[in-house]
Amino acid sequence: MGIKNYVHFEFSSLPENVSFARACVGAFASQLDYTLDDIEEIKLVVSEAVSNSIIHGYDNKTNQKIEITVTINEDRSLEIIIKDYGKGIENIEKAMEATYSSDPSRMGLGFTFMKSFTDEMDILSKPGEGTCVRLKRNFTNEQKEAFS
Ligand SMILES: Nc1ncnc2c1ncn2[C@@H]1O[C@H](COP(=O)(O)OP(=O)(O)OP(=O)(O)O)[C@@H](O)[C@H]1O
Ligand SMILES: [Mg+2]
């Protein structure tokens, strides 16, 4: 399937860049006639993934690299890839479980939100090498109506 448009950007693992990343992806996605609620969901999943890279992947170390690629496909689906080069995830299945967190002070709901607000979620991760999360949202009927 062909690509219609994409953006790729990278930034350092600073907490202030969470809001930068979510705003960027939200702005890019808005060309697809999403509702404001859809855009809020898209921003939320980006915040969750980027926060995970900063907090877990890099243990809050700043000046580490996070990359985001956002693609709009020919079928008007939206794909977001968030990549870090941090410590990686030992057990991806466990990490995806609702309320599981390696940090007892956290809720362990990030992946649950990412999964529930997207149509596809894939996690690629290798301990010591990093983590790559791919999130995809299909084109909805609501968007089709707004488009015509
Ligand atoms: N990029 C990452 N690098 C390394 N480990 C990660 C990464 N993303 C997630 N994890 C691991 O997966 C677990 C589950 O992530 P999830 O976002 O669901 O919950 P959380 O971040 O612990 O809590 P919350 O998102 O509710 O604050 C994390 O506790 C962490 O151990
Ligand atoms: Mg999280």
Side-chain angles (χ1 to χ4, degrees):
M1 189 216 329
I3 289 171
K4 222 175 145 208
N5 194 4
Y6 80 95
V7 287
H8 175 81
F9 59 104
E10 64 179 64
F11 51 91
S12 54
S13 53
L14 286 162
E16 50 266 50
N17 285 338
V18 176
S19 58
F20 166 77
R22 57 181 267 142
C24 268
V25 177
F28 185 73
S30 62
Q31 66 192 272
L32 280 168
D33 286 312
Y34 282 113
T35 64
L36 287 178
D37 284 349
D38 286 333
I39 295 286
E40 281 310 310
E41 290 176 4
I42 289 163
K43 286 179 170 174
L44 179 79
V45 299
V46 171
S47 307
E48 292 297 334
V50 173
S51 300
N52 279 354
S53 292
I54 295 173
I55 296 165
H56 304 295
Y58 292 130
D59 286 323
N60 294 304
K61 258 186 287 153
T62 55
N63 290 316
Q64 306 295 305
K65 182 160 77 175
I66 297 170
E67 293 176 354
I68 294 188
T69 307
V70 194
T71 305
I72 293 171
N73 295 312
E74 289 292 355
D75 66 358
R76 299 201 183 105
S77 57
L78 180 78
E79 265 181 84
I80 309 164
I81 293 173
I82 302 98
K83 193 172 159 91
D84 68 58
Y85 300 86
K87 72 173 179 218
I89 302 174
E90 298 267 355
N91 186 337
I92 295 174
E93 244 168 71
K94 186 150 194 78
M96 281 169 61
E97 277 171 21
T99 74
Y100 169 80
S101 177
S102 50
D103 173 348
S105 71
R106 308 200 71 89
M107 307 244 280
L109 290 176
F111 280 135
T112 306
F113 287 136
M114 287 184 244
K115 202 173 162 65
S116 63
F117 291 137
T118 58
D119 296 297
E120 287 175 30
M121 176 175 83
D122 299 321
I123 304 163
L124 282 173
S125 189
K126 249 193 177 173
E129 289 185 20
T131 300
C132 181
V133 178
R134 185 186 71 94
L135 301 163
K136 183 176 178 193
R137 271 179 80 113
N138 295 330
F139 196 59
T140 64
N141 287 329
E142 262 178 332
Q143 285 170 282
K144 265 174 217 157
E145 277 159 30
F147 228 76
S148 54

